[in-house]
Amino acid sequence: MNLQNYIQCLLPEIESELRRVIEQAIPAQYTQLKGMLHYHMGWEGEGAGPEAQGKRIRPLLVLLCAMAAGGDWRGALPAAAAVELLHNFSLVHDDIQDQSPLRRSRPTVWVKWGVAQAINTGDVLFTLAFLALQDLSSRLPAPHVLEASRLLQTTCLRLTEGQFLDLSYEGQSALPMDAYWPMIGGKTSALLGCCAELGALTAGADETRRRAFREYGYTLGLAFQVLDDWLGIWGDASRTGKSVESDLVTGKKTLPVVYGLALGGRFAQRWQQGKIQPEEVAALADLLKEEGAYEHTLQTAQQLTGRALDWLRQAAQPGDAAQALVELTNMLLTRQS
């Protein structure tokens, strides 16, 4: 089986598990709350469907890593649902904090229902993630379930630490390059590392192999975020579902921006003068490209992807699932959204 075969097989199972968790946990009388959850998950409302649901990369990573570690993907489904629910909790709250009007080309939850209800919706998703993970208790020994819970809780802390840095950096006029990596290590890489390790844990992998899977996922997360930074400035908004103006206007310290600031050229000079206006974005994106940030960002993503594949070769058992993970890794490097 190749990656597309696995996607066709596993995505319906992931969606079914996610729906099951929400339907079982939320009483029937909370119709509007369920509607908010279903809307954010891409199941209801205008534009609902695969594009609104997203790629479900994180739960796919859990299941493929479980198989690549010699396990059964069915036993990893609760963990797959848990990481996707946790990811969506972070998206709902990030959209509020960043004042993002769109998520996957649709109005965000806070735009449709207000900030207060959006915070509550995110809190529900956070709680559901841990309820979903508890279903591992029917499949794994108790110590393994406790370890899975510890992994997810630690990852939550890393996520919020990364978001803290991201928000804090917006108010700083400059940022050293070495301050960028802890930020994305928390806000993006920590969860992908958790996904890979959880998959290996459900398969009964030992600590050495679990670490190799964790490093694979973590490094993949670095590459993923670096390319996301590139897309945030030079991507096609109709494909990313997010305005290319937002990162520069809000002062996000993405890799192209940090690189441009380190050069101290014309981009850095304009940045130091104050808030970027929407009408300046196109010209500043061109200026960053001229100064080399465009190529530097893409090359960095390629280098990190290579390192992730090195870790994967150490972690995975040879076979279809391992090859599918290689395909997934390369697909993320070349994605346009």
Side-chain angles (χ1 to χ4, degrees), residues 188-225:
T188 304
S189 294
L191 185 53
L192 288 180
C194 176
C195 291
E197 186 172 4
L198 278 174
L201 176 62
T202 66
D206 62 26
E207 177 58 34
T208 300
R209 293 190 67 207
R210 276 175 47 192
R211 177 180 177 271
F213 272 106
R214 179 172 68 248
E215 293 293 342
Y216 158 66
Y218 185 88
T219 311
L220 177 63
L222 296 178
F224 185 94
Q225 185 59 54

Side-chain angles (χ1 to χ4, degrees), residues 107 140 218 281 315:
L140 296 177
Y218 185 88
V281 167

Side-chain angles (χ1 to χ4, degrees), residues 276-314:
I276 305 299
Q277 301 303 314
E279 60 270 18
E280 299 179 89
V281 167
L284 286 172
D286 287 343
L287 188 55
L288 272 175
K289 189 172 185 178
E290 291 174 14
E291 293 181 351
Y294 182 104
E295 284 300 325
H296 173 78
T297 304
L298 287 181
Q299 288 174 5
T300 301
Q302 291 169 348
Q303 291 167 358
L304 288 166
T305 299
R307 284 167 49 190
L309 289 172
D310 288 341
W311 278 113
L312 179 60
R313 280 188 282 271
Q314 294 182 43

Side-chain angles (χ1 to χ4, degrees), residues 32-64:
Q32 187 178 14
L33 177 57
K34 279 191 176 182
M36 293 177 188
L37 293 165
H38 287 190
Y39 174 84
H40 176 75
M41 297 300 292
W43 299 330
E44 292 182 4
E46 184 177 354
E51 291 298 319
Q53 292 166 17
K55 299 179 180 67
R56 305 295 196 228
I57 295 298
R58 289 154 189 84
L60 280 170
L61 189 59
V62 173
L63 301 185
L64 288 172

Side-chain angles (χ1 to χ4, degrees), residues 7-329:
I7 289 174
Q8 291 171 10
C9 169
L10 297 176
L11 276 186
E13 299 292 340
I14 290 168
E15 295 304 312
S16 177
E17 184 73 2
L18 289 167
R19 286 180 179 270
R20 185 191 66 78
V21 171
I22 291 174
E23 293 306 312
Q24 284 191 357
I26 308 299
Q29 63 264 34
Y30 291 96
T31 306
Q32 187 178 14
L33 177 57
K34 279 191 176 182
M36 293 177 188
L37 293 165
H38 287 190
Y39 174 84
H40 176 75
M41 297 300 292
W43 299 330
E44 292 182 4
E46 184 177 354
E51 291 298 319
Q53 292 166 17
K55 299 179 180 67
R56 305 295 196 228
I57 295 298
R58 289 154 189 84
L60 280 170
L61 189 59
V62 173
L63 301 185
L64 288 172
C65 285
M67 287 185 282
D72 185 341
W73 63 264
R74 294 170 186 83
L77 265 177
V83 297
E84 184 64 13
L85 290 163
L86 185 68
H87 172 57
N88 278 275
F89 139 74
S90 73
L91 296 183
V92 173
H93 281 201
D94 286 358
D95 287 341
I96 298 167
Q97 293 166 333
D98 295 341
Q99 299 182 35
S100 300
L102 295 177
R103 169 68 62 183
R104 297 167 183 154
S105 302
R106 302 200 304 166
T108 49
V109 174
W110 75 267
V111 168
K112 285 183 69 68
W113 287 286
V115 170
Q117 288 289 17
I119 291 172
N120 195 59
T121 300
D123 292 347
V124 172
L125 289 164
F126 179 88
T127 305
L128 289 174
F130 287 94
L131 288 176
L133 196 66
Q134 290 305 305
D135 287 341
L136 286 175
S137 60
S138 64
R139 309 162 191 245
L140 296 177
H144 287 65
V145 179
L146 285 173
E147 178 63 10
S149 181
R150 186 195 65 79
L151 278 173
L152 200 62
Q153 291 177 51
T154 302
T155 300
C156 289
L157 188 56
R158 299 289 87 81
L159 281 171
T160 52
E161 289 169 348
Q163 184 69 354
F164 163 78
L165 292 175
D166 191 19
L167 295 170
S168 298
Y169 291 167
E170 288 179 21
Q172 299 182 23
S173 59
L175 189 73
M177 188 70 75
D178 60 5
Y180 168 81
W181 300 106
M183 174 182 68
I184 71 165
K187 64 179 284 189
T188 304
S189 294
L191 185 53
L192 288 180
C194 176
C195 291
E197 186 172 4
L198 278 174
L201 176 62
T202 66
D206 62 26
E207 177 58 34
T208 300
R209 293 190 67 207
R210 276 175 47 192
R211 177 180 177 271
F213 272 106
R214 179 172 68 248
E215 293 293 342
Y216 158 66
Y218 185 88
T219 311
L220 177 63
L222 296 178
F224 185 94
Q225 185 59 54
V226 166
L227 185 58
D228 203 55
D229 287 356
W230 183 90
L231 290 168
I233 295 177
W234 295 290
D236 182 346
S238 67
R239 301 184 71 173
T240 63
K242 179 182 176 182
S243 170
V244 292
E245 297 177 354
S246 61
D247 283 356
L248 289 174
V249 169
T250 59
K252 288 285 185 185
K253 298 304 188 295
T254 61
L255 183 58
V257 168
V258 175
Y259 179 84
L261 293 176
L263 291 176
R266 290 169 57 201
F267 172 82
Q269 293 169 15
R270 169 59 192 91
W271 187 274
Q272 298 294 342
Q273 293 172 7
K275 184 176 175 61
I276 305 299
Q277 301 303 314
E279 60 270 18
E280 299 179 89
V281 167
L284 286 172
D286 287 343
L287 188 55
L288 272 175
K289 189 172 185 178
E290 291 174 14
E291 293 181 351
Y294 182 104
E295 284 300 325
H296 173 78
T297 304
L298 287 181
Q299 288 174 5
T300 301
Q302 291 169 348
Q303 291 167 358
L304 288 166
T305 299
R307 284 167 49 190
L309 289 172
D310 288 341
W311 278 113
L312 179 60
R313 280 188 282 271
Q314 294 182 43
Q317 295 181 4
D320 288 350
Q323 184 55 41
L325 284 168
V326 172
E327 291 181 53
L328 177 65
T329 303

